[in-house]
Amino acid sequence: MKKHNCIVGDESVCPKVKLSIQDTLDVVGGKWKLVLISILRDGKMRFRELSREADISPRILSKELQELEMNGLVTRTVCNTKPVTVEYALTPYSDTLSEVIIAMHKWGQEHRRKVMEPSL
Amino acid sequence: MKKHNCIVGDESVCPKVKLSIQDTLDVVGGKWKLVLISILRDGKMRFRELSREADISPRILSKELQELEMNGLVTRTVCNTKPVTVEYALTPYSDTLSEVIIAMHKWGQEHRRKVMEPSL
DNA sequence: TTTCATAGTATCCTTTTTGTAACTGGTATC
DNA sequence: GATACCAGTTACAAAAAGGATACTATGAAA
């Protein structure tokens, strides 16, 4: 079978792929982060909007956004509006996740199509 | 901001991206599935091997493999060997996940590189 | 003054996930 | 027979994730 181009030689199989995937999952794993990012790709959004859009409770949303902010994927901007509003937007760095998001988007679509096939 | 090509018109933002991502996460979300698939891309492997390779306990591994098998991503083959061995291998369908896995692999590598940057 | 909207936080609870350790059953080896 | 390896399963525990509800604080509108 095809081996990956692996710089470090070791035990039996290169650990880099496994590690890389795990690193990625550490940052955008879980139920919500990629969903939130994919929603924010349509443009910045306020807290409540995002909450409604993603159908996620404030508590979880708050936590997820903090984590995304910590990892430099999202910015939080407080606006001087009538009731103070807060805008969340993607950072340029988050663009590096485009491939991942697009790939998952495409796969999800195709998979649904496949699963929906009439009793094949 | 750019809108996605959306067939169904609705509330405010197209739900298809969100749904597609969630569909994907339903199948390969969680801590292990993508890791296991990425390991199996190097070739079929037996239960214990996989357990050691991924550093995952038999209980979890068993459950994850069952779910992957249910979703048509992995095959389970019992071999008539001295002590019975069981081989797990990827299905052709799992190849459709290549883009996702490669994208996550690349991103994880790049992200680690970025995070490791000496006190930038 | 009461009410509503904003952006969260606090509290409590349930569900899901993950892990550990021990154990089954089969075959082979010592 | 005792031991060891394989592929799991079972029972139990711990932790993480997720969710519901209520609440804070601010300011504007009714």
Side-chain angles (χ1 to χ4, degrees), chain A residues 24-75:
Chain A
T24 302
L25 292 177
D26 283 344
V27 178
V28 294
K31 193 173 175 179
W32 292 113
K33 296 207 177 61
L34 285 173
V35 169
L36 291 175
I37 293 174
S38 76
I39 290 177
L40 284 173
R41 278 163 64 85
D42 284 321
K44 63 190 178 187
M45 213 173 264
R46 284 174 297 130
F47 188 86
R48 288 288 174 186
E49 280 183 294
L50 208 38
S51 173
R52 281 188 287 261
E53 197 65 46
D55 194 24
I56 180 177
S57 71
R59 196 181 73 88
I60 310 294
L61 179 57
S62 176
K63 196 201 62 178
E64 298 289 311
L65 287 172
Q66 279 172 25
E67 291 170 7
L68 288 172
E69 203 190 345
M70 280 196 335
N71 281 304
L73 296 170
V74 154
T75 56

Side-chain angles (χ1 to χ4, degrees), chain A residues 92-104:
Chain A
Y93 182 54
S94 77
D95 283 346
T96 58
L97 280 168
S98 289
E99 274 185 56
V100 173
I101 290 186
I102 291 170
M104 291 187 71

Side-chain angles (χ1 to χ4, degrees), chain A residues 2-20, chain B residues 42 53 105 109:
Chain A
K2 57 177 172 294
K3 290 277 176 184
H4 300 277
N5 52 328
C6 184
I7 301 148
V8 190
D10 52 359
E11 318 93 52
S12 60
V13 164
C14 174
K16 293 208 92 185
V17 176
K18 181 193 157 200
L19 278 180
S20 300
Chain B
D42 285 320
E53 196 67 46
H105 176 198
Q109 278 189 323

